[in-house]
């Protein structure tokens, strides 16, 4: 999650400044990274292989883009999937309206923002949407459900699991 990573990387050191946990907060902040960042830092994108015929709309979360500077990392990963066409709205990086408490305090504004963001992807005629933040995914899924729009919205990891044909079995 870009939001969690941004919080621990960028804000934990300041939150714990002067506290007995300050050093630990700094160590944690330096170790944490968002999934697509991790794949790139560890040079693992060449291990990603899959095939799908279709197009996706890529939604890069505000926290990932603005707080962490993540821009091309998800695209580099998705480019490893054969047959995939990645479509991004002409307006570029636009907020979906989730923003944590924002969507609860300003629910009508947040819903309008989600509606606008979904419409951008629908106008592109994408087959599905891939995002990298659970908050954005939850928010856009709810808006799609409320508008009775049948479009799948995946986390980047969920999408990769599907197109790479992982056979995950819960052993609990």
């Amino acid at each position: 999650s870009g939001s969690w990573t941004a919080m621990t990387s960028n804000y934990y050191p300041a939150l714990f400044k002067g506290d007995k946990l300050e050093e630990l907060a700094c160590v944690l902040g330096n170790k944490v990274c968002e999934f697509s960042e991790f794949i790139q830092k560890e040079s693992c994108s060449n291990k990603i292989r899959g095939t799908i015929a279709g197009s996706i709309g890529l939604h890069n979360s505000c926290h990932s883009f603005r707080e962490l500077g993540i821009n091309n990392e998800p695209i580099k990963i998705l480019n490893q999937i054969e047959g995939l066409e990645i479509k991004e709205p002409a307006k570029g990086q636009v907020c979906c309206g989730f923003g944590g408490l924002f969507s609860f305090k300003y629910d009508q504004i947040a819903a309008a923002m989600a509606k606008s963001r979904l419409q951008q992807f629908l106008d592109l005629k994408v087959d599905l949407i891939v995002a990298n933040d659970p908050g954005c995914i939850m928010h856009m899924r709810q808006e799609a459900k409320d508008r009775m729009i049948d479009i799948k919205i995946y986390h980047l990891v969920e999408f990769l699991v599907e197109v790479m044909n992982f056979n995950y079995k819960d052993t609990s």
Side-chain angles (χ1 to χ4, degrees):
S1 161
S3 54
W4 184 82
T5 303
M7 185 65 186
T8 54
S9 297
N10 299 348
Y11 297 106
Y12 269 27
L15 280 173
F16 288 97
K17 189 152 188 78
D19 188 274
K20 63 183 179 182
L21 297 174
E22 180 179 1
E23 185 179 338
L24 185 60
C26 289
V27 169
L28 177 64
N30 289 326
K31 287 185 176 185
V32 172
C33 60
E34 188 268 343
F35 174 74
S36 64
E37 258 184 319
F38 174 80
I39 294 296
Q40 293 301 311
K41 283 180 183 178
E42 297 299 319
S43 300
C44 294
S45 61
N46 62 338
K47 296 178 182 176
I48 294 172
R49 295 286 177 255
T51 304
I52 188 171
S55 64
I56 64 156
L58 176 62
H59 176 78
N60 189 10
S61 78
C62 293
H63 283 101
S64 293
F65 183 72
R66 294 186 181 116
E67 297 283 338
L68 300 173
I70 293 171
N71 190 23
N72 294 321
E73 290 86 341
I75 295 169
K76 287 177 184 175
I77 292 168
L78 290 166
N79 279 334
Q80 300 299 311
I81 307 300
E82 289 182 38
L84 180 64
E85 180 184 5
I86 303 167
K87 295 182 178 182
E88 293 182 271
K91 292 184 179 183
Q93 181 61 35
V94 176
C95 182
C96 70
F98 178 68
L101 288 176
F102 178 86
S103 63
F104 294 97
K105 287 183 175 182
Y106 306 103
D107 59 323
Q108 293 178 350
I109 296 170
M113 291 171 74
K115 178 181 177 183
S116 173
R117 188 61 171 161
L118 277 175
Q119 192 59 54
Q120 291 173 10
F121 290 118
L122 295 173
D123 290 347
L124 292 172
K125 299 185 182 350
V126 297
D127 298 312
L128 53 97
I129 299 169
V130 173
N132 60 353
D133 198 284
C136 299
I137 294 164
M138 176 184 67
H139 189 58
M140 290 191 293
R141 281 178 180 168
Q142 186 60 53
E143 184 61 28
K145 180 180 175 187
D146 290 350
R147 292 181 59 204
M148 293 181 270
I149 297 169
D150 185 26
I151 189 162
K152 291 185 179 184
I153 304 169
Y154 289 97
H155 188 279
L156 177 58
V157 174
E158 290 177 299
F159 178 71
L160 292 175
V161 165
E162 187 163 309
V163 299
M164 293 175 72
N165 295 315
F166 281 114
N167 291 317
Y168 173 76
K169 293 185 181 175
D170 188 359
T171 58
S172 58

